Amino acid sequence: MQAVALETSRPVARQSGTGSAAAPRAVDAAQHRPATQEAVRSAAVPHRGLRTVDPQYNRRVAAAQQALQFLVTARKQLRDIETALTQRSADAARAGTGARKDGEPLDERIRQFAELWSTRSRASGGLLGRQLELVRDGVPRLGFTVRGLDFATLRSGPQELLSLAVEARGRTEVSSVLVEPHLSDDELVKRFDRALAPVGVRATRGADGELRFEAAESAWPAIRDTLAIRGEGRRFPTGRFNRVPATPEPPAIRPQEWSVEDVTAREGTLRKVQQASEHLRRAHLAVTGLLAEESTRLAAAGQAASARADAQWCAQFVRIFEAAASQGDYRMLAAAAPAVTRLSRERVIAALKSL
């Protein structure tokens, strides 16, 4: 904010008793009076605004809003399925009827939900993983195991150099891991993790204590279809790569397993639908909490930016006002006075404290 519009590149002439110095000064004041008065008026209101914000803020909030919309739609569809299942059971118990007479057939409702669930990653902006956990970096990941790559097998027999081939970034990449019988579980995990990290696959120790791998969901089809291992004739065949099965960890919700063929199947499906509803409810709470967290972070950033803007404005005001007052020009002081009257003592003290 400015009190007066002075051209800092031009020195302001001091008042002199000679007429030769006074004439240029009068011309200069006349030329700059409109700009000076306008600047003084604008100086009465500080320029506020959030100038520095986390550049990923918009992405995270947009993803959270997308995720909420996905969850709202999914929860509604599950409620409809649960209602339909309950009604079907009641109808069957009363009159032996096998279908609702109002609304869509149950299998069609389940199919629609399955289609919606298949879009989870994209529809939630990458915020929801397969277990409906929050994925803050926007890259949902998928865990999987590989047949033959378990701790017991890897420690059996003498040392062996294993070569693993997998398609990554459109081409086949080969990594090598030396396995030895004396290695601990943690050391085996580290060796596989170091070897496979460049192709986007990470190795971990799963909750069940087994060797587990993890990759981006988007990379899973290529990994599933191309993963092959070549050994030295001990744990794996020698001389050539052989495809090995990779088994993904099941997602939290599996509508493809829901059946409504008979009473027993419908009862089992109803339990699974209720469990799925609970998963979605918890995810909804988590996303809502994330939005609240982002709102708090933005408010804090806004307050910090506002405090910095106030401090900068006050410092600039002091410099320009001092320059204007040093001229001893009545018109300049008359233009600056309205700006000064809008400054409270409390605001000046608060701004100076933040410097």
Side-chain angles (χ1 to χ4, degrees), residues 130-131 133 140-146 202 204 211-217 220 246-251:
R130 285 164 60 89
Q131 305 302 321
E133 76 280 11
R141 302 184 69 79
L142 178 148
F144 62 95
T145 56
V146 178
R202 307 308 301 258
T204 64
L211 181 59
R212 174 181 177 272
F213 299 92
E214 188 179 80
E217 281 188 17
W220 168 245
T247 305
E249 294 177 348

Side-chain angles (χ1 to χ4, degrees), residues 14-32:
R14 295 185 177 275
Q15 192 165 358
S16 168
T18 64
S20 60
R25 191 167 53 251
V27 172
D28 195 68
Q31 290 174 342
H32 292 289

Side-chain angles (χ1 to χ4, degrees), residues 48-49 300-314 350-352 354-355:
R48 295 177 178 270
Q303 291 173 357
S306 179
R308 289 193 299 270
D310 278 352
Q312 293 170 359
W313 171 81
C314 288
L352 292 177
S354 64
L355 292 176

